[in-house]
Structures are given as C-alpha cells and as structure tokens.
Amino acid sequence: YFKRPNIKIIENPFEFNRKSKKNIYKKFIYFGRINQIKNIDLIIKAFIASNPPKEWNLELYGIQDDEKYLNYLKNVIKNSKFSNQIFIKDPIFGEKKYKIINSAWCNVLISKSEILSLSVLESLSVGTPSIVNKEIYFPEWIKKTIYLSEIKILNLKKSFKSIMSQKISDRNMMSNKIIKNFDKNYSIKNIKNKYLNYVK
C-alpha cells in the first residue's frame, strides 16, 4: 500500500537520576524478573565459577514470578562456598534503584530474549557498564560501552574475571566514556529535537 513509506523512529525517553557519583563498590547487579528466560542461574553459576575474591558480591533484585525457579536459585547459592557473597533481594524502584546502579561496578543482563532493556539504558545513563547476551540486538552506539558475552558459563566466567581485574581508575574512565556516549545518542534534548523535526 505504501510504496515509499516515510517512517521515523523516536527512542523511548525515560527520566534518569544522575546525582554526583558516590563510591563504586565491587559488586555485580541484576534487575528484572525471577524467571528462567532471564538466565539468572547462569549468572550465579558463572559468578561462582569465577572464584570471586571475598570483596566482590552479586546482588539480584528480582520481581518474583516463578517460585519453583526462585527456590532452585536459592539452592544453587546455598550449596556453593560463595553463599555469603550472593544475595537475592526484593525489587526496588526510583531513587533507591538509581543509588544501587550508581554504586555498582557492573550490571548483568543475559536474557534468552530481550527488547532494548530498560536496566541497560538506566545503567548507561549513570555510567555503569553492563554484561549482555551477544545474541540480543543493541544499536552500535550501545555496543561500544557494554560487554558482549555468549550465554555459556565459561564465557560469562571470563567476563566476570576480566571485570574483577579492573583498576578503579580504569572503571572511572569507562564511566565517563559511557556517560558521554549516552548523552550524545540518547539525551532528552536529542529526542525533543527529533519530535520537532518530524512535526515540521
């Protein structure tokens, strides 16, 4: 019907909270549903396999919609020697969520399938990198500042170990690069200008 469609794409704007950067703690975080599609068991098993030093933690903030899977995850944690470094926590939102994202070393999202994840965008908005499933589509500008991994324990283990070997100076440098890249490609100002141009 439309031989030459005039299609424009406008990103979903979202409100983010970029307060002055506080201390960055040696922890990985996950935000999302407690569901098999999210591959949380692989995150936990890869973290365990990476033999993390005692100062490193994994915090999973999950909306619980699969009780059987949740119990399985708890057993995996309980039966490991790193049970005091892995925490399943209630979901948090708003300012509390941004406080955690801001203070984390790295966000993790390796779902089997995913749209452009809000948790990845929220992390990028405050300069926190993410490990993501390399099979999920991300725009090229995002790929520049995230860690792409295959969803296998061995590959994730390598990603965890590589990140845990970073110096704080390198992590801070990466944070500045991420924020600059985010503001260039996903700022409210840019999205507003797209609306104005398209309306004209």
Side-chain angles (χ1 to χ4, degrees):
Y1 293 103
F2 304 100
K3 300 288 174 117
R4 294 182 180 177
N6 186 14
I7 298 170
K8 304 292 184 183
I9 296 175
I10 300 177
E11 297 86 348
N12 262 345
F14 68 96
E15 188 176 6
F16 57 89
N17 188 338
R18 188 187 294 162
K19 293 188 175 180
S20 57
K21 181 64 79 174
K22 296 184 178 179
N23 291 336
I24 298 175
Y25 296 100
K26 294 184 174 181
K27 64 182 177 183
F28 295 89
I29 54 170
Y30 162 82
F31 287 96
R33 291 183 296 136
I34 302 293
N35 191 287
Q36 293 185 49
I37 200 169
K38 298 296 187 178
N39 280 326
I40 303 169
D41 56 314
L42 291 183
I43 297 174
I44 294 170
K45 290 172 182 175
F47 182 76
I48 292 168
S50 69
N51 198 30
K54 63 182 180 179
E55 66 269 20
W56 283 91
N57 291 332
L58 172 63
E59 296 180 1
L60 308 157
Y61 295 85
I63 299 168
Q64 300 173 15
D65 67 356
D66 187 334
E67 190 173 347
K68 186 177 178 181
Y69 187 57
L70 174 62
N71 290 332
Y72 168 68
L73 298 177
K74 287 180 177 178
N75 281 329
V76 172
I77 295 168
K78 183 180 177 182
N79 294 325
S80 78
K81 64 178 183 178
F82 299 101
S83 58
N84 61 339
Q85 293 172 245
I86 307 171
F87 308 95
I88 296 179
K89 301 191 174 191
D90 292 333
I92 53 174
F93 305 95
E95 193 171 332
K96 288 182 180 179
K97 183 178 181 181
Y98 272 104
K99 188 176 180 181
I100 297 297
I101 295 174
N102 239 325
S103 65
W105 200 281
C106 187
N107 177 51
V108 187
L109 185 88
I110 55 161
S111 308
K112 294 174 184 175
S113 64
E114 190 75 56
I115 56 170
L116 180 52
S117 165
L118 184 59
S119 76
V120 172
L121 285 173
E122 287 172 329
S123 297
L124 293 175
S125 73
V126 294
T128 301
S130 294
I131 303 174
V132 301
N133 178 358
K134 68 181 295 185
E135 297 302 321
I136 294 175
Y137 169 78
F138 284 95
E140 286 301 317
W141 72 267
I142 289 182
K143 284 184 179 180
K144 293 177 182 177
T145 50
I146 56 178
Y147 300 100
L148 299 169
S149 176
E150 290 185 39
I151 49 174
K152 297 176 182 176
I153 291 177
L154 181 62
N155 298 86
L156 281 169
K157 171 188 167 183
K158 288 179 180 177
S159 295
F160 277 127
K161 289 184 79 69
S162 173
I163 292 167
M164 287 188 288
S165 68
Q166 280 182 333
K167 296 177 181 177
I168 186 64
S169 57
D170 293 331
R171 170 61 178 76
N172 285 332
M173 196 181 301
M174 186 171 192
S175 181
N176 293 333
K177 180 182 176 183
I178 290 171
I179 288 174
K180 187 177 180 181
N181 191 41
F182 180 87
D183 287 347
K184 179 182 176 183
N185 292 281
Y186 210 92
S187 70
I188 296 296
K189 183 180 177 181
N190 286 347
I191 295 172
K192 181 196 77 172
N193 288 337
K194 284 187 178 183
Y195 272 110
L196 292 175
N197 290 334
Y198 297 160
V199 169
K200 287 176 185 177

